[in-house]
């Protein structure tokens, strides 16, 4: 059972399955060797990992950070998942990761993606952010992220991704 503070104080919006699948499809390199999920929540992004079944467990290292310790028991039940930190913004080196996949709290999305970018060495990053972080960057960090995306990545805007039957916590925000 999720604690009340989880859904309110930590901006907990579990990634719907269809959106999680779409995020995994964005990776060009499908050879997942070591994956980092910096805001793991209840593990929805991990559960959507292609081949996440008995054949995959153990062959791919999946490390997670999760600030809400109340969600750690759910993550610990997932075979092959290692909890390696609480606050991703305080996380150390990420050079070992081939892929970083994240759905951070919307209010800290830019900071989380810039952190992933700073610790990753030769990895791919797929992130889910509030669209306004990209469309209207007001702070220096937001403009920095937009510049990095323009040079090295791409953006797809999705409306109503957090509305519908398979969504645990709805919001009409564009991502």
């Amino acid at each position: 059972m999720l604690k009340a503070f989880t859904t309110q104080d930590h901006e907990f919006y579990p990634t719907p399955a269809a959106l999680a699948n779409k995020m995994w499809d964005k990776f060009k390199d499908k050879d997942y060797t070591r994956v980092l999920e910096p805001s793991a929540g209840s593990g929805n992004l991990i559960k959507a990992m292609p081949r996440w079944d008995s054949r995959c467990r153990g062959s791919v290292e999946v490390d997670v950070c999760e600030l809400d310790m109340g969600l750690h028991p759910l993550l610990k039940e997932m075979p092959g998942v290692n909890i390696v930190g609480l606050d991703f913004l305080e996380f150390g080196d990420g050079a070992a990761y081939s892929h970083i996949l994240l759905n951070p709290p919307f209010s800290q999305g830019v900071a989380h993606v810039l952190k992933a970018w700073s610790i990753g060495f030769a990895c791919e990053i797929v992130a889910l952010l509030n669209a306004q972080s990209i469309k209207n960057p007001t702070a220096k960090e937001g403009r920095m992220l937009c510049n990095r995306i323009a040079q090295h990545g791409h953006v797809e805007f999705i409306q109503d991704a957090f509305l519908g039957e398979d969504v645990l916590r709805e919001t009409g925000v564009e991502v």
Side-chain angles (χ1 to χ4, degrees):
M1 190 72 168
L2 301 177
K3 297 180 183 178
F5 78 88
T6 301
T7 58
Q8 298 303 318
D9 296 340
H10 296 291
E11 301 177 52
F12 181 65
Y13 288 90
T15 312
L19 184 56
N21 291 332
K22 185 177 191 77
M23 291 174 69
W24 280 101
D25 286 344
K26 294 291 180 188
F27 287 121
K28 292 177 184 171
D29 179 5
K30 307 296 185 190
D31 184 21
Y32 311 110
T33 55
R34 192 161 183 188
V35 176
L36 176 64
E37 212 290 54
S39 305
S42 56
N44 285 16
L45 284 175
I46 299 162
K47 293 172 192 170
M49 181 181 191
R51 301 181 328 261
W52 184 255
D53 57 25
S54 60
R55 292 169 295 153
C56 180
R57 293 179 190 141
S59 65
V60 177
E61 293 282 333
V62 180
D63 294 342
V64 302
C65 296
E66 177 49 50
L67 189 60
D68 183 353
M69 293 180 66
L71 294 172
H72 286 199
L74 292 173
L75 297 168
K76 288 179 180 178
E77 288 177 6
M78 299 176 69
V81 172
N82 308 302
I83 300 171
V84 295
L86 296 172
D87 186 350
F88 175 61
L89 296 177
E90 296 178 8
F91 190 73
D93 184 21
Y97 298 106
S98 62
H99 299 78
I100 301 177
L101 183 71
L102 59 157
N103 173 6
F106 288 153
S107 67
Q108 296 182 330
V110 170
H112 278 241
V113 176
L114 289 173
K115 174 71 175 189
W117 212 302
S118 73
I119 67 167
F121 178 67
C123 69
E124 287 187 67
I125 300 169
V126 173
L128 179 68
L129 299 175
N130 181 324
Q132 290 304 310
S133 301
I134 305 301
K135 288 183 173 183
N136 299 308
T138 55
K140 176 183 172 186
E141 291 79 14
R143 291 188 297 276
M144 181 186 312
L145 177 59
C146 287
N147 289 337
R148 288 191 181 163
I149 292 170
Q151 292 173 1
H152 306 286
H154 67 277
V155 173
E156 177 183 350
F157 294 106
I158 304 169
Q159 186 65 50
D160 299 332
F162 283 88
L163 296 175
E165 291 181 22
D166 72 333
V167 177
L168 180 62
R169 186 166 180 222
E170 292 190 327
T171 181
V173 69
E174 181 181 20
V175 294

